[in-house]
Amino acid sequence: MNYWLIKSEGDCYSIDDLKKDMKSPWSGVRNFQARNFMRDRIKVGDLALFYHSSSTNKDLPNGVYGIAEVASSPYTDESAFDKKDEHYDPSSDKRRVESLKNKIPFEPTWVLVDFAFKKKFDTPFTLSEIKIDPKLDGMLVRQKGSRLSIQPVSEKHFNYIVTKRQ
DNA sequence: GCCAACGTTGGC
DNA sequence: GCCAACGTTGGC
């Protein structure tokens, strides 16, 4: 089993939204490294820290707000083909249209997995706490300019954060 | 709202 | 294949 950290902007899709929906397709990832994690390494049942980023709300500081569970295998992210979607990708749509026209197999550029709600922490484990805790040395999210929206987390770090919030 | 850091694009 | 320019992310 692997552990992950998934980022979302709190104003955009929060842990409360996931709790309400119970399960959500993690669409809109347009970064190749993050895509590769979903396509090649993420497995059903893997657990992920749910991280809120870029918060301008003082009551919702950046940090880990709870836990989500991987609830599907990777599948095509259809939003890449939707002109009205904010994550529309013309080049991937063009590839798809060409493949349909020429009746050749198509490997979608962008895939996604579903995440299911697992748990919300009573209090978030904030980024500032993560940064000062020696037990969390080496966590990717601590690195300045860590822009990966899906990143691996070690079992040790995962368990440490979860235990601290139980 | 600013700006540094990063990934991606496009011209050469 | 390099690298400058660009757009986006994310912390403050």
Side-chain angles (χ1 to χ4, degrees):
Chain A
M1 142 117 82
N2 287 311
Y3 298 91
W4 307 93
L5 180 146
I6 55 174
K7 286 187 198 170
S8 180
E9 296 189 22
D11 315 330
C12 184
Y13 193 82
S14 71
I15 186 132
D16 290 324
D17 293 325
L18 184 62
K19 187 176 182 180
K20 181 159 50 75
D21 297 341
M22 290 313 293
K23 194 170 97 166
S24 174
W26 212 249
S27 66
V29 171
R30 298 290 180 267
N31 171 285
F32 289 108
Q33 222 182 329
R35 189 277 314 265
N36 292 347
F37 286 137
M38 286 200 286
R39 195 186 57 187
D40 306 330
R41 287 184 53 192
I42 287 181
K43 297 280 179 272
V44 172
D46 281 359
L47 297 176
L49 300 170
F50 194 110
Y51 181 91
H52 283 186
S53 66
S54 293
S55 176
T56 49
N57 183 346
K58 281 252 188 321
D59 301 327
L60 290 172
N62 291 350
V64 176
Y65 280 71
I67 305 168
E69 180 175 350
V70 178
S72 81
S73 298
Y75 59 99
T76 306
D77 184 349
E78 298 288 337
S79 71
F81 312 136
D82 180 357
K83 285 189 176 62
K84 279 175 256 149
D85 193 278
E86 64 170 317
H87 299 292
Y88 173 58
D89 179 1
S91 62
S92 108
D93 192 27
K94 194 162 163 252
R95 279 185 58 216
R96 182 191 59 128
V97 170
E98 287 295 309
S99 75
L100 287 171
K101 201 168 63 187
N102 300 317
K103 298 196 161 102
I104 52 173
F106 173 64
E107 285 288 320
T109 307
W110 304 113
V111 298
L112 56 76
V113 298
D114 293 343
F115 279 99
F117 175 79
K118 185 92 177 164
K119 171 175 202 163
K120 185 186 175 184
F121 295 156
D122 291 334
T123 49
F125 203 109
T126 64
L127 180 62
S128 41
E129 287 176 84
I130 289 172
K131 281 191 165 167
I132 58 167
D133 197 323
K135 287 276 200 315
L136 296 176
D137 273 354
M139 259 190 98
L140 283 176
V141 77
R142 270 169 61 148
Q143 290 173 12
K144 199 177 180 188
S146 160
R147 294 172 53 173
L148 252 188
S149 59
I150 298 177
Q151 48 185 257
V153 172
S154 74
E155 183 175 11
K156 206 174 71 181
H157 290 158
F158 183 90
N159 285 333
Y160 179 77
I161 287 177
V162 171
T163 305
K164 280 255 169 180
R165 283 297 177 270
Q166 266 166 357

